[in-house]
Amino acid sequence: MSIDKTSAHICVAAALATAAIGYQAWRLLSPPTSDSPDDRSRSIANGVAGLIGNTPLIRINSLSDATGCEILGKAEFLNPGGSSKDRIALYLIEKAEETGQLVPHTGSCIFEGTSGSTGISLAMVARAKGYLCHIVMPSDQAIEKSQLLERHGATVERVAPCSIVDKNNFVNVARRHAQEFGAEDPAKRGFFVNQFENPLNSEAHYKTTGPEIFRQTKGCIDAFVHGSGTGGTIAGVTHYLKRRVPQVQCFLADPQGSGLANKVNHGVMFAETEREGTRRRQQVDTLVEGVGLNRLTRNFANLLPAGRGKKCLLDGAISVSDSDAVKMSRWLMANDGLFIGSSAAINCVAALDIARKLGPGHTIVTILADSGQRHLTKFWNDEAMAALGHSTAAPASLDEFKSV
């Protein structure tokens, strides 16, 4: 009888071994599919463009452990251009090629007004596809962004910060250059990306970022939180998730000085730093770069009520102070080894606040748009932050972040 049991055990073990070998062979030989999270490790990427997207969703351990929630960050800083803007750079350029607005290797030039990250992504994709690139940016942005743009072969023009209604605003200057380019040679086209008002911006995230988050969480997501610069990411992802996960709540993370949070929460565009005699700088009065506005872009407006009886797609907004943004960046470096940029820092402050309000057992997703590597001379410069009155020491505990 014992011999029979032993034989049976041997047969079972052999069967399991055979099944395991078969499974590994299937994994190695079967072609990758778009639903596979490890596509990159199993195939050859088609140039730089083939590396864009399908970024990992990582658990932010310190925030998750402290709240009892799963706080997850989409590591967009792992895109080849270093930020989530790679997605729109590729998508908008390829759409322009499809419609004949751009033809590679004709001396055509891509123009854009940007605080930096979109420009870097555009310069990278432009170089890979055979275009020139001319970027106009506010002169108060971190100098390393200009340096990165130049290393990517772009022409960089830094202009004084001013209102969007001013003809010399960085966006308007880029638009004007695009209109004037190629006047003497029709084959050379100037293409203005227009990321703030171009609906293809949010469409890119609706078709890529949103589906990736849905797949990576298997649809088990309770909240999504993100800031807004152009409004493309938060609009595209929110529209996608709301249509597939009825219970999901979506929130805006807004830096100080931006009026968007007040617009979402109260229907009026206003920021405390806009009070007469309080503003220190043009545009949005914050040290956070890339997010926060005091006007509505076309992409962001798609989230707001568009008529009587219509409801805002966002469930609320959290205003984040510069001080908390700095503290969160230092906390995550000290406790998680995450070296993030300023917009990712406000996202994490807001995600922590939402986790506390929802309570343990919930899943909150946010975007880690870029790393601290392009913020070394400002946001990650301790002397510069100290001069503005911000402590750069890592907080002793998360209790230093008070719920909004």
Side-chain angles (χ1 to χ4, degrees):
M1 190 68 177
S2 59
I3 295 176
D4 291 341
K5 285 184 178 180
T6 301
S7 299
H9 290 161
I10 292 172
C11 290
V12 169
L16 289 173
T18 302
I21 293 170
Y23 174 75
Q24 290 298 328
W26 172 79
R27 290 275 293 177
L28 290 170
L29 298 175
S30 61
T33 67
S34 59
D35 293 326
S36 301
D38 56 346
D39 285 350
R40 286 186 184 174
S41 65
R42 298 169 56 199
S43 59
I44 297 173
N46 185 16
V48 165
L51 296 174
I52 296 173
N54 287 311
T55 54
L57 191 62
I58 64 172
R59 184 179 191 265
I60 304 177
N61 290 328
S62 69
L63 303 185
S64 299
D65 293 344
T67 60
C69 290
E70 290 297 295
I71 299 181
L72 311 176
K74 192 145 176 64
E76 289 293 279
F77 57 82
L78 293 179
N79 279 301
S83 81
S84 59
K85 298 299 185 179
D86 285 7
R87 296 176 184 269
I88 67 168
L90 179 63
Y91 192 79
L92 270 62
I93 289 174
E94 290 190 338
K95 285 295 181 182
E97 290 175 334
E98 289 176 11
T99 57
Q101 296 176 78
L102 279 174
V103 179
H105 306 294
T106 57
S108 295
C109 186
I110 294 165
F111 294 86
E112 184 59 338
T114 166
S115 61
S117 289
T118 300
I120 294 166
S121 298
L122 286 169
M124 177 190 70
V125 177
R127 177 66 65 169
K129 283 181 164 287
Y131 301 106
L132 302 174
C133 188
H134 187 123
I135 298 300
V136 185
M137 63 188 301
S139 58
D140 61 352
Q141 302 300 289
I143 192 64
E144 53 266 41
K145 293 182 179 180
S146 295
Q147 294 167 337
L148 282 168
L149 281 162
E150 290 168 350
R151 298 288 77 77
H152 280 87
T155 298
V156 183
E157 183 177 353
R158 293 173 71 93
V159 299
C162 58
S163 169
I164 188 66
V165 300
D166 192 311
K167 68 177 183 179
N168 293 318
N169 174 271
F170 66 105
V171 174
N172 297 331
V173 172
R175 180 188 291 107
R176 189 162 61 248
H177 285 331
Q179 293 169 344
E180 296 168 350
F181 185 83
E184 299 179 359
D185 185 352
K188 295 182 179 180
R189 301 178 183 180
F191 176 69
F192 176 52
V193 174
N194 197 19
Q195 59 170 329
F196 290 92
E197 309 302 329
N198 193 333
L200 292 176
N201 180 340
S202 57
E203 184 178 299
H205 292 287
Y206 182 88
K207 291 189 173 181
T208 64
T209 318
E212 288 174 28
I213 291 172
F214 181 77
R215 183 196 72 212
Q216 289 167 320
T217 60
K218 296 180 173 60
C220 298
I221 174 173
D222 298 293
F224 171 72
V225 57
H226 188 47
S228 178
T230 66
T233 305
I234 191 169
V237 174
T238 295
H239 275 282
Y240 186 89
L241 292 178
K242 288 275 186 176
R243 293 179 182 180
R244 287 158 179 81
V245 188
Q247 80 279 3
V248 72
Q249 297 182 67
C250 297
F251 298 90
L252 170 71
D254 210 31
Q256 70 176 51
S258 173
L260 294 177
N262 207 73
K263 180 67 175 178
V264 171
N265 290 333
H266 306 293
V268 178
M269 183 75 76
F270 177 75
E272 282 295 323
T273 51
E274 294 299 293
R275 290 188 185 278
E276 186 175 356
T278 63
R279 174 182 272 204
R280 296 171 302 171
R281 70 184 285 268
Q282 291 285 347
Q283 297 180 289
V284 176
D285 197 357
T286 178
L287 58 82
V288 176
E289 297 183 1
V291 293
L293 283 177
N294 282 309
R295 63 183 176 90
L296 289 179
T297 66
R298 182 176 178 182
N299 285 289
F300 190 81
N302 284 334
L303 294 167
L304 301 178
R308 183 175 298 178
K310 298 292 184 180
K311 183 182 178 183
C312 179
L313 282 180
L314 294 175
D315 296 277
I318 296 92
S319 293
V320 179
S321 69
D322 284 351
S323 177
D324 276 354
V326 174
K327 286 192 295 184
M328 179 57 76
S329 67
R330 274 57 177 183
W331 168 270
L332 292 175
M333 171 51 72
N335 293 277
D336 296 271
L338 281 173
F339 185 42
I340 59 172
S342 55
S343 66
I346 69 164
N347 285 348
C348 290
V349 173
L352 173 64
D353 185 69
I354 292 164
R356 286 169 168 170
K357 289 173 179 175
L358 292 179
H362 293 87
T363 297
I364 297 99
V365 174
T366 191
I367 303 288
L368 307 179
D370 67 0
S371 79
Q373 294 177 6
R374 56 187 61 174
H375 300 268
L376 295 175
T377 59
K378 295 189 72 176
F379 186 72
W380 274 99
N381 183 317
D382 287 355
E383 292 182 0
M385 293 299 98
L388 293 173
H390 302 301
S391 171
T392 56
S397 80
L398 290 173
D399 291 338
E400 292 191 29
F401 298 91
K402 305 301 182 183
S403 292
V404 179

